[in-house]
Amino acid sequence: WQTLYDETYAEGQPADPTFNITGWHSSYTGQPFPAAEMRQWRDATVDRIRALQPSRVLEIGVGSGLLLFQLAGDCNRYHGIDFSAPALAHIRRHLPPDWTQVTLEQRRADDLGDLEPASFDTVIINSVVQYFPSADYLVEVITQVLRLLPPDGRLFIGDVRSRPLLAAFATAATLSQAKPDASRATLAAQQRQLIAQERELLLDPAFFHALKLALPQISEVQVEIKRGHEHNELTQFRYDVTLTVDGPPLPVPASKTVDWSAQRWTLADLRAALETEEEADSLLVRAIPSARVQPLVEAASWLHDNTRPATAAELRAALDELAARAVDPEALWALGAELGYHVRIGWSGSGADGCYDAVFNRAGAARLPELDIETLEPWSAYATTPAATRALAEIAPRLREFLHERLPEYMVPSAFVVLDTLPVTTSGKIDRKALPELDSAQLGQRSEFIAPRTPTETRLAQIWAEVLHLEQVGVHDDFFALGGHSLLATQVIARIRELFQLELAVRTLFEHPTIAGLAQHIEQQQWSTADSGAAGEADDEEEWEI
């Protein structure tokens, strides 16, 4: 990740240096997020942090300063740290001269031991934890952070990716790129492949409630879905968490609870309840189907059901119908603002069903109910395992090649699985019954081989095969799942530059890790260059005629 972001932040300067969104690309299209969507995302995050009334701030993973440039001017102290020197250099170049309260330092997220205890009232870790190697690493970072906060201090962990919604996210990404006539079986295979190749840390919201059980100095946990009118991956599959340390007694929960789905409520029913005197104090509404997510949760299950829509076009039409019956959470925030309520919206349970809960409170700040965690599971039970995914990506291809040289084909395993430890019996032997069952994603680690179909794909496949020392590479194989890493990615990009006469950044391979995706990106770049050249020639001809 450091290799990727050092290169990203070292690229050319944006028009507005305080709004540097270089590197923010959509998983649906592979293209940069529109600036308007990113501003909406940033502003909503800033508003949520400002509500905590920060004064002495530590931001871990300050990046290009998207939050710092908005928040630091109102703070008495703002200390930003990041592992990327180019990122910090960018901020230093553009800090106002009188912002002497801002200090910047290059260090890792888990290197906080020399900072003074209780020296910050707010710590921010925004859009960073997905790059951590494991949930255990995150717990170590949080444990260090809690020492830096005084009573009633806040830790804001923003833009957390949802593990329970991983299948829905993979479905959205698959459908966004599918041709209308793509079959359900093809879509299902691509969805499973995306899940198996996930390289980031995704967390169940229950993880943060479990933290309260493990770290008793945490007095309150609030998990809120993202704000924003756009239905993109930033609003659909991410959430914010606020942890309070040794805070005051918690406010009384909502005076009345309603189950939206069970009682088949509409927005008109909610408005009527909020306008009546007996409901005016506070109201908790549970199980509201989200127009952002609930249709995609349904679609994720439909992909593996032979009775459901057979093509991508039919599936998209069905999703539109489902979305029309669900509720956009922004409609609830708007209603609350109109009627004078403070509103908080979070996942219903883990959010796996695509529903959310909303609390309306008129007297003061609303508070979402917390999950009751009675038994603490291993941290890995609440999260994906990026470190294991990377280990598997590096080891499995070499191990498979090693076994192919020594065993008949039928004896070579079809799947490899990384475990924290091997389960053993009381006598110390391997407990085969305790080994985990393989799921469909693990069995589909290597996609079905599809040979290159275009000259661009053929050339890329030759480059990959040479760099990765493989006999053949399919167009849907993931570079990193085949054993690629940042150093090999540099070699691949260098060869592409030479062969295609096209300038590409190393991060392009991170964003388009398959032959098919990278070939499409290269061809788009070539077409764009050709169009620019044609336009220039036309201008020259027009000038000559004049």
Side-chain angles (χ1 to χ4, degrees):
W1 291 121
Q2 186 170 12
T3 300
L4 171 63
Y5 281 98
D6 277 355
E7 181 181 276
T8 298
Y9 293 131
E11 290 182 3
Q13 295 301 312
D16 180 359
T18 68
F19 185 64
N20 184 353
I21 55 174
T22 302
W24 284 84
H25 287 70
S26 168
S27 299
Y28 299 167
T29 65
Q31 299 301 309
F33 281 108
E37 293 185 20
M38 285 301 303
R39 285 190 187 277
Q40 190 177 97
W41 170 88
R42 182 203 62 184
D43 293 346
T45 304
V46 167
D47 288 345
R48 195 160 273 176
I49 296 172
R50 278 184 176 147
L52 305 178
Q53 299 180 319
S55 177
R56 293 172 288 120
V57 174
L58 168 65
E59 185 179 357
I60 298 173
V62 69
S64 62
L66 279 174
L67 301 184
L68 179 148
F69 285 114
Q70 299 298 307
L71 295 167
D74 298 322
C75 296
N76 294 322
R77 180 188 180 192
Y78 202 106
H79 187 57
I81 68 172
D82 203 285
F83 67 0
S84 173
L88 297 173
H90 168 82
I91 297 174
R92 287 191 181 100
R93 282 196 300 271
H94 302 289
L95 277 178
D98 59 340
W99 277 19
T100 56
Q101 77 276 23
V102 176
T103 54
L104 300 170
E105 189 177 10
Q106 184 180 10
R107 65 162 78 200
R108 288 164 49 106
D110 61 348
D111 179 22
L112 308 175
D114 60 336
L115 298 178
E116 288 294 321
S119 53
F120 304 97
D121 57 41
T122 306
V123 177
I124 302 168
I125 311 177
N126 188 67
S127 204
V128 169
V129 299
Q130 60 263 42
Y131 307 121
F132 286 178
S134 67
D136 292 278
Y137 180 91
L138 174 57
V139 172
E140 169 60 26
V141 172
I142 291 174
T143 302
Q144 292 191 45
V145 165
L146 296 183
R147 184 184 63 85
L148 305 178
L149 291 168
D152 205 26
R154 310 291 179 83
L155 168 57
F156 178 86
I157 306 175
D159 227 29
V160 182
R161 292 188 61 194
S162 170
R163 184 192 178 188
L165 293 174
L166 175 55
F169 165 76
T171 301
T174 298
L175 279 175
S176 67
Q177 301 169 16
K179 294 181 179 179
D181 60 349
S183 70
R184 183 178 55 249
T186 298
L187 298 173
Q190 292 174 354
Q191 180 222 43
R192 287 194 297 266
Q193 183 182 0
L194 286 175
I195 293 172
Q197 294 173 348
E198 179 57 61
R199 298 191 302 275
E200 295 185 0
L201 180 65
L202 280 67
L203 293 158
D204 191 315
F207 166 83
F208 296 98
H209 297 282
L211 271 178
K212 188 176 178 181
L213 190 62
L215 303 172
Q217 59 267 54
I218 297 176
S219 56
E220 183 181 24
V221 178
Q222 290 291 281
V223 178
E224 301 176 77
I225 65 175
K226 300 292 291 186
R227 293 211 60 170
H229 293 279
E230 300 293 337
H231 289 193
N232 56 34
E233 62 189 280
L234 302 178
T235 61
Q236 291 169 311
F237 305 109
R238 304 190 183 201
Y239 58 93
D240 296 333
V241 180
T242 305
L243 305 179
T244 303
V245 176
D246 296 324
L250 298 176
V252 178
S255 58
K256 183 176 180 179
T257 300
V258 173
D259 189 309
W260 180 290
S261 297
Q263 299 189 24
R264 298 186 177 182
W265 263 27
T266 63
L267 283 173
D269 295 320
L270 176 59
R271 173 183 287 276
L274 293 173
E275 288 178 337
T276 56
E277 289 187 11
E278 60 268 23
E279 311 293 356
D281 210 6
S282 61
L283 178 67
L284 168 61
V285 186
R286 291 189 178 274
I288 308 169
S290 172
R292 297 174 178 174
V293 177
Q294 205 269 341
L296 290 166
V297 171
E298 290 288 332
S301 63
W302 287 355
L303 289 182
H304 308 284
D305 183 346
N306 291 333
T307 66
R308 294 299 183 175
T311 66
E314 294 174 9
L315 192 57
R316 290 181 182 122
L319 288 181
D320 291 340
E321 294 180 11
L322 285 175
R325 298 197 294 268
V327 184
D328 192 315
E330 283 295 336
L332 273 63
W333 273 303
L335 180 61
E338 177 189 344
L339 299 179
Y341 284 87
H342 182 267
V343 183
R344 256 186 171 158
I345 302 178
W347 298 118
S348 192
S350 68
D353 61 356
C355 293
Y356 56 84
D357 297 339
V359 177
F360 296 81
N361 200 57
R362 181 169 282 168
R367 175 174 171 263
L368 288 161
E370 299 183 22
L371 294 180
D372 187 14
I373 305 293
E374 297 181 356
T375 304
L376 196 61
E377 300 288 340
W379 296 122
S380 59
Y382 302 100
T384 54
T385 53
T389 302
R390 288 193 182 88
L392 188 63
E394 293 179 7
I395 295 171
R398 286 181 284 170
L399 184 56
R400 183 178 284 109
E401 182 180 357
F402 177 87
L403 295 175
H404 269 300
E405 294 173 354
R406 290 161 176 80
L407 296 175
E409 184 66 29
Y410 74 91
M411 293 185 68
V412 177
S414 59
F416 296 88
V417 179
V418 176
L419 302 178
D420 292 333
T421 58
L422 289 172
V424 295
T425 63
T426 54
S427 61
K429 296 182 179 180
I430 298 296
D431 186 355
R432 296 177 180 274
K433 294 182 179 179
L435 290 169
E437 294 290 332
L438 291 179
D439 58 30
S440 57
Q442 289 169 322
L443 288 171
Q445 287 168 2
R446 183 83 185 263
S447 61
E448 178 185 354
F449 177 77
I450 298 177
R453 301 155 296 186
T454 67
T456 303
E457 290 181 349
T458 300
R459 292 175 180 177
L460 290 177
Q462 291 171 347
I463 294 173
W464 286 27
E466 292 171 4
V467 171
L468 297 170
H469 303 291
L470 298 174
E471 292 184 7
Q472 64 179 19
V473 179
V475 297
H476 294 305
D477 286 337
D478 185 290
F479 177 79
F480 300 98
L482 295 178
H485 49 72
S486 58
L487 294 179
L488 292 179
T490 302
Q491 295 181 32
V492 168
I493 293 298
R495 296 194 188 190
I496 290 174
R497 288 169 179 164
E498 181 180 356
L499 184 61
F500 293 94
Q501 296 297 301
L502 193 65
E503 282 299 319
L504 294 179
V506 173
R507 64 179 173 82
T508 305
L509 190 51
F510 286 83
E511 295 159 0
H512 307 282
T514 66
I515 293 286
L518 186 58
Q520 182 180 16
H521 177 77
I522 288 173
E523 289 167 356
Q524 287 175 342
Q525 294 293 105
Q526 290 174 325
W527 293 334
S528 176
T529 302
D531 288 344
S532 299
E537 291 175 5
D539 290 342
D540 291 342
E541 291 176 4
E542 184 177 351
E543 184 175 339
W544 170 254
E545 290 171 0
I546 292 173

